[in-house]
Amino acid sequence: MKKTGIGAWFRRVVMAIAALLALLLLGAWLFLRGSLAQLDGHRRVAGLSATVSVARDDHGVPLIRGANRLDVAYATGYVHAQERYFQMDLLRRSGAGELAEMFGPRAVPLDQAHRLHRFRARAELALLAMPAADRLLLERYTAGVNDGLGQLSARPFEYVLTRVAPRAWSPADSLLCIWAMYFDLQGGQEARELARGWLREHSTAEQRAFLAPTASAWDAPLDADRIAVTPAPMPATPPAWWGRPKTAPARQVAAAAFLDTVGSNNWAVAGARNGTGGGAIVSDDMHLGLQLPATWYRLALQFPDAQGVMRRVVGVTLPGMPLVVAGSNGRVAWGYTNSYGDYLDLIALDTDAARPGKVRTQAGWETPAATDETILVKGAPAVTLTVRETTLGPLRVAMGRSYAIHWSAHAPVAANANSGRLETADTLDQALAIAPTLGIPAQNFVAGDAQGNIGWTIAGPLPRRAPAGDASTYPLAADDPAGVWDGWLAPDEYPRVRNPAGGQLATANSRQLAGAGAELIGDGGFDLGARTHQVRDNLTALGARTDVAAVYGVTLDDRAIFMGQWRERAIAALSVPDADATAGRPQRAEALRLLRESWSGRASVDSVGYRIARGYLFALYDIVYDNANGQLAAIDARASMAAITSRWPVVLARLLDEQPAAWLPPSYADWRQVQLAALDRVIADLSKDGEPLLAATWGRRNTAPIAHPIAAALPALARWLSAPADMLPGDSHMPRVAGPKFGQSERMTVQPGREEQGLFNMPGGQSGHPLSPYFLLGHADWVRGTATPLLPGAAQHTLVFSP
């Protein structure tokens, strides 16, 4: 009896514990559901002028209808907050340098780097200077954001996990979201200039001209078939660091951790080539970091403009701002790629012991203004950062010098709400006149209108500066005229290309112009141009009559045209008839077989040959630049020879073609041995886990672990906060740019006036909440490249706001 009693008691305890756990799990589940967005219902709101409706389709994409733009901005803020508040919070905190308040001491270094620019203070000043109508738009959006956050039954789940309370939104926070994009899109320019400064100190002018060419045959400018290139003479000797290993142990192969951080394509086809109507066709696929939720939030807006004409705008918004970033308004469609112009100068400042505390700038001797910035740190004492700022910008010490960071992001015109004017532009010419006034990181702006016109210009601020060639891409002395900015270019001074003879325009981060206007942009790290070349050739191949579907198809082109030449070099190195490199080397023989047989001509997920060829190129990069990259990393984590010039493959190709003995890296007998050493590194890397080379497909390397930022800190929840680990076709130097952490953040192709034919997909769903049916909806379409309608479909849920 006693044993039976103990057993019964034990069973009751176990059942009670199980019931308690079930209740806890149920409570947690119900709590998490409390932070899901409201999809249906009716709310009365103070400050509205009339009823606003939010009608979501089966993918959660809303059509927001209102009696005026202010009411629509309110509803947009409400929807953004309920679906994406944590994402918005991260954006503003990144722009302001306030991440440590949420993530603790590990975020302090990033906050210090960002707080140096004091963008929160700049945002408050920009807000005060903003036209009253724009400020009111941000205020109505802010009211919607705070109401949307406040109406959730529970705070967003991320704040429960981080144990931080969400902070209310302010109009200045919306501008900080723009400055967060400056860090994302132009944040590498400072490191690039430092790297180029190091190169100048460790090479001769002749060596720099050879190692960092200003153009190549890959360039595909908008205003010419090509750029005339006269290769610089090869110097008699290389720099002392050339071809030497780091002083620390070298990496086995950097090909496994390569540089896949440049992307974005946009193009337009004129109406004369549109076989389905006279309107232009515009396509845009902006490339950014891949995570959940996706960078963009899709929607359509409907409202009457100032003349009472009903407008419908469809496209993508950046949560944190009420405006359509890229899209179509029925009359004009537009999109962006990062322009990679020269928008930042490092000015080396002089000091004088006789003038303590002063520095010499272009304007003369001045005393930097000192401001103490307090960085709040979760779980630790606050950190004080003293920012010293001159009339040129804040100071940074690097390489033993004090530099002023002269950056367009610091300008009063750097962030504004002028993007809203594109929502009601009627013609291409109006759009081209609006683009230069936008307060965004300077972008390639490509647009087309319903009449069939197409055009390009730069959107965002351009400094007015004297032509200086590439001198301004190196750190400058305080008295160097190349560093003098005389205000900002007026819209009519911006370079433009309108209705070119071929009926097409395309940009993909490379040099835009061969002739007039190029000096206004400068080279801030242009991409090589192979991708632009491929896009341009694809558009030409579409012929005299095309359509939206065919133009969209260019975004999915993963043909390995650029990498094909490196495959041929690798094959040649392994198969010289009179010096068989594979004799007695079975792994080399297998690599040669796979280069020949496991090659589809594309960056396809099942290709081993593509992965070997790509690895070979980057292993060559390591062999010749390893010592330089080690020294550069000590200056700035983002500094490298690839940051100095994207044209390094052109330099390597020339060396392999000409095989100069003086430039042969030490310890190698000839250039073929250099190539074989590179291939051996790749083989060793791909077989290091004991698996056969046959298993080392490109897809296994190019697998994207797209996840919510919280997933890394909470591995137990990663399954619910992540997309499937998809193998992605594509790579850099082709239209379908795809990497494990970087890729096409959206794909959109549209003819203005026929938006119902428009096509779209993006890597994540509308919601940032893992319990929402819209969290991953659409992700599989993005992986496959399947196009879905751009316009929202029939309403499945409707939320109504009334005064």
Side-chain angles (χ1 to χ4, degrees), residues 350-636:
D350 295 329
T351 59
D352 186 343
R355 304 173 191 262
K358 291 184 177 293
V359 295
R360 188 169 70 89
T361 69
Q362 299 161 346
W365 291 94
E366 61 178 89
T367 301
T371 304
D372 287 339
E373 291 282 327
T374 301
I375 299 174
L376 300 179
V377 184
K378 186 178 75 173
V383 173
T384 299
L385 174 70
T386 299
V387 177
R388 299 176 65 228
E389 195 162 8
T390 70
T391 52
L392 295 176
L395 301 187
R396 172 181 176 172
V397 176
M399 298 190 294
R401 295 292 306 269
S402 288
Y403 295 95
I405 305 170
H406 199 198
W407 186 15
S408 62
H410 300 146
V413 295
N416 59 37
N418 287 354
S419 293
R421 286 130 175 85
L422 291 170
E423 297 176 355
T424 54
D426 289 327
T427 66
L428 170 71
D429 289 337
Q430 289 178 11
L432 292 177
I434 292 167
T437 73
L438 304 190
I440 60 173
Q443 301 289 290
N444 290 309
F445 177 86
V446 166
D449 64 21
Q451 288 73 46
N453 302 300
I454 59 173
W456 162 89
T457 189
I458 295 291
L462 288 180
R464 180 181 287 108
R465 62 194 310 170
D470 69 347
S472 62
T473 65
Y474 295 88
L476 298 166
D479 57 357
D480 193 325
V484 176
W485 296 7
D486 184 19
W488 305 93
L489 294 180
D492 59 1
E493 297 177 282
Y494 275 56
R496 289 184 186 177
V497 176
R498 187 183 185 279
N499 288 337
Q504 65 185 50
L505 288 166
T507 77
N509 310 122
S510 60
R511 182 182 297 279
Q512 303 93 342
L513 299 172
E519 74 283 354
L520 301 177
I521 304 169
D523 183 351
F526 288 142
D527 194 25
L528 177 64
R531 182 160 40 95
T532 317
H533 239 284
Q534 197 161 330
V535 169
R536 184 179 69 180
D537 292 349
N538 285 345
L539 293 174
T540 301
L542 294 178
R545 309 296 283 175
T546 187
D547 57 26
V548 167
V551 173
Y552 167 83
V554 175
T555 69
L556 305 179
D557 181 14
D558 59 3
R559 289 176 302 139
I561 294 173
F562 171 80
M563 202 54 65
Q565 64 174 303
W566 293 98
R567 168 184 176 254
E568 292 170 4
R569 285 192 170 93
I571 290 173
L574 288 167
S575 55
V576 176
D578 59 351
D580 188 358
T582 62
R585 304 291 292 268
Q587 284 194 306
R588 284 186 182 176
E590 176 68 352
L592 177 59
R593 184 185 73 81
L594 292 168
L595 281 164
R596 288 170 168 163
E597 298 177 10
S598 183
W599 175 267
S600 61
R602 299 177 176 273
S604 50
V605 296
D606 58 350
S607 175
V608 182
Y610 182 85
R611 189 173 179 184
I612 294 172
R614 195 192 202 285
Y616 158 73
L617 170 60
F618 280 86
L620 287 170
Y621 169 87
D622 259 5
I623 288 172
V624 298
Y625 292 133
D626 202 41
N627 185 276
N629 283 334
Q631 295 187 55
L632 289 167
I635 297 169
D636 189 291

Side-chain angles (χ1 to χ4, degrees), residues 113-154:
H114 287 193
R115 190 69 70 90
L116 181 68
H117 302 277
R118 303 188 65 240
F119 284 137
R120 180 166 289 284
R122 297 181 194 277
E124 297 291 352
L125 291 174
L127 196 65
L128 292 174
M130 190 174 280
D134 291 349
R135 189 163 60 249
L136 183 57
L137 183 76
L138 294 185
E139 288 171 352
R140 292 307 300 153
Y141 175 78
T142 295
V145 169
N146 289 327
D147 283 355
L149 179 64
Q151 290 297 330
L152 292 173
S153 300

Side-chain angles (χ1 to χ4, degrees), residues 714-735:
L714 296 166
L717 299 179
R719 175 184 172 187
W720 292 276
L721 295 171
S722 305
D726 298 296
M727 294 184 181
L728 301 179
D731 191 13
S732 54
H733 301 311
M734 59 186 65

Side-chain angles (χ1 to χ4, degrees), residues 16 55 58 123 130 214 291 298 323 367 508 522 555 591 615 704 715 719 751 774 803:
D58 58 354
M130 190 174 280
T214 58
Q291 64 178 30
R298 297 178 59 186
L323 308 171
T367 301
T555 69
R719 175 184 172 187
Q751 176 185 342
Y774 310 129

